[in-house]
Amino acid sequence: MSSSLYRLGRAMAAARWKVAAVWAVLMIAVGGLAVGLGGAFSTEFQIPGTDAQRGIDQLSTRFPEMSGTAGEVVFVAEDGTTVDDHEARIQRVMEQIGDVEGVEVSSDPFDEDAPGTRNDDDTALMAQFQMKGQVGEYPESSVEQITDIVADGGETGLEAHVGGQFLQSSEIPFGAGEIIGLVIALIILAVVFRSLVPAVIPIVTAITGVGISLMAVMALAAGIDIPSVTTSLGAMLGLAVGIDYALFILSRHRDQLSRGDDVRESVGAAIATSGSAVIFAGLTVIVALVGLFVTGIPFLTVMGVAAAGTVAMSVVVALTLLPAIMGILGERLRPRRVRRLMAGNGGVLPEEEIARHDAPKRGIGLTWVRLVTRVPALTIIVVVLGIGAVAIPAKDLALALPDLGTEQPGTDARDTYDLVSETFGPGYNGPLLVTADIINTSDPLAAVDSLEKDIEALPHVEAIQIATPNRGADLAVVAVIPEGGPTDDSTKELVADLRDHAAGWEDELGVSDVIVTGATAVGIDITAKLSGALIPFAIFVVGFSLILLALVFRSVWVPIKASLGYLLSVGAAFGVTAMVFEYGWFNGPLNVSVNGPVVAFMPIMVMGVLFGLAMDYEMFLVTRMREEFVHSGDARRSIERGFTGSAPVVVAAALIMTAVFAGFVTAGWFMLQPIAIGLAVGVLVDAFVVRMTLVPAVLALLGRHAWWLPRWLDRIMPTVDVEGEGLAAVLEHRRWTAEHGEAALRLQDAVAPLIGARGELGPLTGSVLPGRLLVVRSAGAPARDTFLALAAGRAVPSTGVLAVHDRLAPDDLGAIQSRVHHLAAGADVASRLGEVSGRHLDQRLVVLEDATDLERAIESDPDAVAARIDALLDAGVTILVGAEGEDAVPIEHHLHDVLRDPGRLLALTVRPRPDGPGRDTGPGTHRPDASAPAAEGALA
């Protein structure tokens, strides 16, 4: 992958202005699509299949007057009057509301059949109205009209307050907090780069990625129900990872420029190395977010996929737009001091400056890692006990879906919610609906009365607000006012009690399909479903991390340590969240306006996102340590060198992440605040306590055993290049090509296991120039088949270099195979050679397995076949033909006679290396006779 990324980086830098223009056009196009489609976000949370949701769906078809979004007006009489003294004014207000577009029904609170709710002294009256459908299905202007009507609805001695679910907004809440977070990120970047110009680049790329992603989500919202919180969540994650991914790549580019590297070469190398790591990091976050599907909750899956799309866009921007910007700025990104030194030295950085740059640097990082690894067992104990203490409050973390009581104080929704709780009781803010099918009863009204009395007798029931059949007298609805609020435990107990009695009521009263529903019941069901999904999701995440890190680090203990550290970070995040929202700590500075249960999907969302970020930090730190250990074999020294080489970037990335997340905390939106706090704390703890303190201590304690992996497992596990290790081979091949010229096929000390036999082929060293025809001879098929498979990209060497033109195995096997025309034994050679056409023929190879097929084609039509071969060779196509025998074979003589330039005919004899050392006869290039010379460029 690193070779492909290297070419991608160079290409983006070369076509920098075109790339920037494409991104600008894309942003405009997606923005136009979003505005044109006019999608609206949903404020409703649904889980199809639950009892409460089934009841809501049933009401929408059989009792539409009670299925829409509810609203309420609370009238408060003052100056010693009662609400009856203001009857005419109150009725007029409700009539005006009923005339507003989108209102299904507006009740008269003085109607004897369906009176409004009064307090004990008749100084307060609550009147209800119902909108048509859910939020977003009725005009937004209707909300403003109703609000204005109520605002003007008071009179002397009468106040009017509007509230209810219809005030919930699907608007995207952004404020000064997010801007402050970005400013802090810019300051951190300026400190890291010691310059303002490179500091702005990650901000620009992150905003670009987030902007396009959010506009795409807005466009999709026109046809898909997307929760409104999705946009804020996507913006928060997109900004954080977008800035960090650009930081990783840009810091590598600046470091290489400080060594005097060419700008375009540096861009390619930065994308090949840090870009590989960014792809891996992005994939971990994407998999964790998409993995939310294991919960079986549709709206959460949509949120996860949308957020994953934003992260994916951030990765694409980092790999395309970022290198284009680096190419545009060019030398301006090189530190001034280095520019002056190069200008005074003929455009080359003096060797002593390169040596000074590469020399190990002492600093706080080295001091810290030596401190935490001096007595590693003590460090581990202190960290585990400390995080454990912080995580203890997590046991008190309560979950629920937010109601209007979580809105900001001073808003109509929150003020009316508080007024209802104080005046009538908390249960009036979260009524339950009990529906029953009464079509088979002989006396529907009697059945409704009996059901009402039975429900009213249950514990935790404050009152029955209404009990009535629908217009068709086939469905009964009982509105139950619980004693507690929507998120109180007593309300959850009441819902469970009602459902436990449902079967008994069906038998006793002759009704059927008794369902407990309503917004409060839906919230309780969703919370229970989300709580039940935590353990399966945790198993998925931890299991995935074990497999992923085992592949990356080729170790057993490193993945276990990383996964346990992740769980510690999650515990700390949950613990601090409980401190803030359950205990009320730090509410003022964090702009938290309500204490109580946090949004139900907070734990699972924090677990998913934090997993990806934790694995990022683990990879950036530990990968460098592993590289040092592989090169030196010194476990302690590898920890120190790896830590000091990667810690500064990780520190900056973690601080930027925290600043962005903290910016969303201060926005005051309760739906997002717990998630933002959990992520901010989780990132801080994971980066600074777990990865930069606990991890070095554990590795120091394990020593060399930290990198142990059973041999059988090492053999079957694929190799994953996440730090661009293959770049060295790419650069070496470029240097070789610059010195020797382009080769169609190049092998350098390549050894490969034989196909169809025991033993190996190799080591093979040599090259074939483009436009040559090479006859590959061997006494047995295994050696010949293995060589041809290597050339065709169907096999890879176990050691050494295999390059087909500018593509190297194993990174570019797909590209190699796409350039090779493979003719299996028995193929119609004349016909297949005629199919080799198109552009860039000088990059193509033709691999013909059996020389006898070519002999038959030449014997059948020697002139046409020879002309076609000559044309292909003239165009730069390289042809390899397999032949049986170690000496000259008949096909060589035929080709020598028919080819226009016999000098392009080469021959190579390959012999297998039997099992065991010291028995390799090696491949040879032979001159079978004067008609088939071994021309320059043949393998030797």
Side-chain angles (χ1 to χ4, degrees):
M1 181 172 69
S2 56
S3 59
S4 298
L5 290 175
Y6 173 75
R7 281 186 291 273
L8 174 65
R10 285 175 53 85
M12 294 299 102
R16 47 195 177 275
W17 289 110
K18 293 181 181 178
V19 174
V22 168
W23 277 104
V25 170
L26 179 62
M27 178 171 282
I28 294 172
V30 176
L33 191 64
V35 173
L37 294 177
F41 297 104
S42 171
T43 60
E44 299 294 321
F45 296 101
Q46 301 179 0
I47 301 184
T50 61
D51 280 349
Q53 188 58 51
R54 190 160 58 90
I56 293 291
D57 296 339
Q58 182 175 248
L59 284 173
S60 65
T61 57
R62 300 175 65 181
F63 209 152
E65 296 88 350
M66 298 193 70
S67 66
T69 303
E72 60 200 27
V73 182
V74 179
F75 297 95
V76 180
E78 299 177 331
D79 300 332
T81 62
T82 66
V83 291
D84 294 311
D85 298 329
H86 305 279
E87 179 177 349
R89 185 62 173 173
I90 293 172
Q91 288 177 328
R92 176 59 182 158
V93 169
M94 299 310 296
E95 289 174 3
Q96 289 177 328
I97 291 175
D99 293 335
V100 174
E101 181 184 2
V103 176
E104 177 73 30
V105 60
S106 177
S107 63
D108 179 358
F110 296 97
D111 188 333
E112 294 181 359
D113 294 330
T117 302
R118 297 172 177 242
N119 65 349
D120 294 337
D121 58 3
D122 290 335
T123 58
L125 175 67
M126 181 164 56
Q128 305 283 342
F129 61 91
Q130 208 83 13
M131 305 299 293
K132 294 178 181 178
Q134 305 302 321
V135 176
E137 296 179 12
Y138 47 83
E140 290 186 11
S141 59
S142 298
V143 177
E144 297 179 6
Q145 291 181 46
I146 295 173
T147 303
D148 292 340
I149 290 171
V150 175
D152 298 333
E155 61 181 9
T156 303
L158 179 69
E159 288 184 356
H161 306 268
V162 66
Q165 294 177 338
F166 92 108
L167 288 176
Q168 288 182 329
S169 174
S170 60
E171 293 182 359
I172 305 172
F174 289 106
E178 293 87 333
I179 304 300
I180 293 173
L182 287 178
V183 171
I184 295 174
L186 180 62
I187 294 172
I188 295 171
L189 290 168
V191 171
V192 170
F193 293 123
R194 299 180 182 180
S195 175
L196 188 59
V197 172
V200 173
I201 296 175
I203 305 293
V204 171
T205 55
I207 291 176
T208 300
V210 168
I212 293 175
S213 300
L214 291 190
M215 288 186 290
V217 171
M218 291 174 65
L220 290 173
I224 303 174
D225 286 337
I226 299 178
S228 57
V229 69
T230 304
T231 53
S232 294
L233 181 66
M236 182 173 66
L237 293 181
L239 288 174
V241 301
I243 293 173
D244 275 8
Y245 294 165
L247 168 64
F248 293 139
I249 294 174
L250 188 57
S251 62
R252 178 68 69 103
H253 177 58
R254 287 261 298 177
D255 184 65
Q256 291 165 172
L257 291 180
S258 298
R259 296 185 73 258
D261 289 4
D262 173 73
V263 170
R264 192 173 298 180
E265 285 295 318
S266 177
V267 171
I271 296 297
T273 51
S274 294
S276 297
V278 163
I279 290 176
F280 172 83
L283 284 176
T284 59
V285 180
I286 291 169
V287 169
L289 291 171
V290 174
L292 291 172
F293 78 90
V294 303
T295 63
I297 300 173
F299 79 82
L300 197 61
T301 300
V302 170
M303 289 171 58
V305 171
T310 304
V311 174
M313 181 61 69
S314 298
V315 173
V316 174
V317 168
L319 298 179
T320 55
L321 180 59
L322 176 60
I325 294 175
M326 292 191 296
I328 290 172
L329 293 176
E331 289 290 337
R332 280 172 286 181
L333 292 178
R334 196 186 302 274
R336 292 180 181 178
R337 178 178 176 275
V338 177
R339 268 184 279 168
R340 288 195 297 268
L341 289 172
M342 293 178 66
N345 195 47
V348 178
L349 190 65
E351 290 295 331
E352 60 270 17
E353 285 297 323
I354 298 177
R356 190 181 69 83
H357 177 275
D358 294 340
K361 299 176 178 61
R362 291 182 171 272
I364 190 172
L366 182 60
T367 303
W368 176 255
V369 73
R370 286 180 175 176
L371 174 64
V372 300
T373 57
R374 183 171 301 168
V375 185
L378 178 61
T379 301
I380 294 170
I381 293 172
V382 171
V383 168
V384 172
L385 291 179
I387 295 180
V390 174
I392 289 175
K395 63 182 176 56
D396 298 323
L397 189 64
L399 305 177
L401 284 187
D403 53 32
L404 294 176
T406 62
E407 297 288 333
Q408 281 290 336
T411 60
D412 287 337
R414 173 65 181 274
D415 290 348
T416 303
Y417 182 96
D418 293 340
L419 178 62
V420 168
S421 295
E422 296 168 3
T423 307
F424 302 101
Y428 284 89
N429 278 313
L432 302 170
L433 298 179
V434 179
T435 66
D437 195 317
I438 56 175
I439 194 170
N440 294 321
T441 61
S442 57
D443 189 349
L445 292 178
V448 173
D449 290 340
S450 298
L451 183 60
E452 177 185 1
K453 292 177 182 177
D454 288 348
I455 293 175
E456 194 171 15
L458 293 176
H460 306 305
V461 174
E462 177 70 21
I464 301 298
Q465 192 173 38
I466 188 174
T468 181
N470 64 347
R471 294 180 181 180
D474 60 358
L475 182 71
V477 176
V478 181
V480 183
I481 304 300
E483 291 179 349
T487 61
D488 288 356
D489 289 338
S490 63
T491 304
K492 298 176 185 177
E493 294 173 7
L494 176 57
V495 170
D497 203 9
L498 288 168
R499 287 171 174 168
D500 290 341
H501 283 80
W505 290 329
E506 291 173 358
D507 294 337
E508 295 173 9
L509 305 178
V511 299
S512 61
D513 199 20
V514 176
I515 300 174
V516 182
T517 186
T520 299
V522 169
I524 291 172
D525 286 353
I526 291 177
T527 300
K529 181 84 170 178
L530 285 165
S531 299
L534 277 176
I535 299 301
F537 184 71
I539 293 173
F540 166 79
V541 167
V542 173
F544 179 71
S545 68
L546 288 172
I547 296 172
L548 191 67
L549 294 176
L551 289 173
V552 172
F553 296 115
R554 324 294 294 183
S555 166
V556 170
W557 294 112
V558 169
I560 294 175
K561 171 265 304 172
S563 298
L564 293 177
Y566 158 72
L567 293 177
L568 288 174
S569 301
V570 168
F574 290 174
V576 173
T577 304
M579 294 177 193
V580 174
F581 291 95
E582 303 297 340
Y583 302 164
W585 298 356
F586 316 114
N587 280 188
L590 295 176
N591 195 28
V592 174
S593 60
V594 63
N595 293 135
V598 301
V599 61
F601 50 80
M602 172 265 173
I604 205 164
M605 191 62 70
V606 168
M607 288 175 63
V609 176
L610 190 56
F611 162 74
L613 302 181
M615 295 306 103
D616 292 354
Y617 301 142
E618 178 77 11
M619 184 196 66
F620 285 115
L621 278 171
V622 181
T623 300
R624 190 72 65 90
M625 296 178 187
R626 180 178 177 272
E627 288 179 359
E628 294 291 340
F629 177 77
V630 170
H631 294 152
S632 67
D634 187 334
R636 179 61 67 95
R637 180 178 173 82
S638 66
I639 295 172
E640 294 180 359
R641 290 184 64 88
F643 185 92
T644 55
S646 53
V649 176
V650 172
V651 168
L655 291 176
I656 290 171
M657 285 262 188
T658 303
V660 173
F661 293 148
F664 282 83
V665 173
T666 58
W669 193 30
F670 188 82
M671 184 82 76
L672 195 64
Q673 277 185 318
I675 298 175
I677 288 177
L679 289 176
V681 173
V683 165
L684 278 178
V685 171
D686 194 85
F688 292 98
V689 183
V690 174
R691 307 302 157 189
M692 300 180 67
T693 303
L694 181 65
V695 167
V698 172
L699 293 179
L701 187 65
L702 292 173
R704 299 179 61 88
H705 300 291
W707 311 107
W708 173 77
L709 183 71
R711 291 184 178 179
W712 64 268
L713 187 58
D714 187 47
R715 286 194 298 270
I716 64 175
M717 285 172 55
T719 300
V720 179
D721 180 9
V722 296
E723 270 293 319
E725 296 171 1
L727 178 63
V730 175
L731 297 179
E732 186 276 333
H733 183 62
R734 283 177 59 85
R735 288 191 293 269
W736 185 94
T737 302
E739 182 178 350
H740 300 89
E742 183 180 357
L745 176 66
R746 177 194 170 214
L747 294 161
Q748 182 73 39
D749 298 325
V751 177
L754 290 173
I755 296 176
R758 293 174 59 86
E760 294 179 326
L761 178 66
L764 301 167
T765 297
S767 61
V768 178
L769 299 180
R772 301 293 191 269
L773 192 156
L774 175 66
V775 177
V776 182
R777 307 181 301 210
S778 71
R784 183 174 65 253
D785 291 345
T786 301
F787 186 92
L788 295 177
L790 288 171
R794 298 182 173 220
V796 294
S798 53
T799 60
V801 176
L802 165 63
V804 177
H805 290 285
D806 60 341
R807 303 289 180 164
L808 279 79
D811 282 0
D812 297 326
L813 279 184
I816 293 174
Q817 293 170 4
S818 68
R819 297 179 177 187
V820 173
H821 297 266
H822 186 262
L823 280 63
D828 183 350
V829 173
S831 174
R832 292 292 302 278
L833 289 179
E835 296 173 0
V836 182
S837 60
R839 297 185 303 168
H840 306 301
L841 287 177
D842 56 345
Q843 299 289 313
R844 304 287 186 87
L845 265 71
V846 175
V847 176
L848 206 162
E849 285 189 353
D850 193 345
T852 57
D853 296 331
L854 180 57
E855 288 184 54
R856 286 194 295 269
I858 293 176
E859 291 172 355
S860 174
D861 192 349
D863 293 338
V865 173
R868 182 56 184 160
I869 293 175
D870 277 327
L872 291 175
L873 295 179
D874 290 342
V877 177
T878 304
I879 302 174
L880 278 68
V881 181
E884 184 175 358
E886 291 197 352
D887 297 319
V889 293
I891 187 60
E892 297 175 46
H893 298 287
H894 290 161
L895 290 170
H896 183 270
D897 293 337
V898 299
L899 289 179
R900 186 173 65 250
D901 180 6
R904 293 187 293 197
L905 174 63
L906 312 175
L908 172 71
T909 298
V910 291
R911 304 184 185 95
R913 181 172 66 178
D915 289 337
R919 302 173 60 188
D920 178 25
T921 58
T925 300
H926 299 270
R927 189 188 300 263
D929 54 44
S931 64
E936 179 185 0
L939 282 156

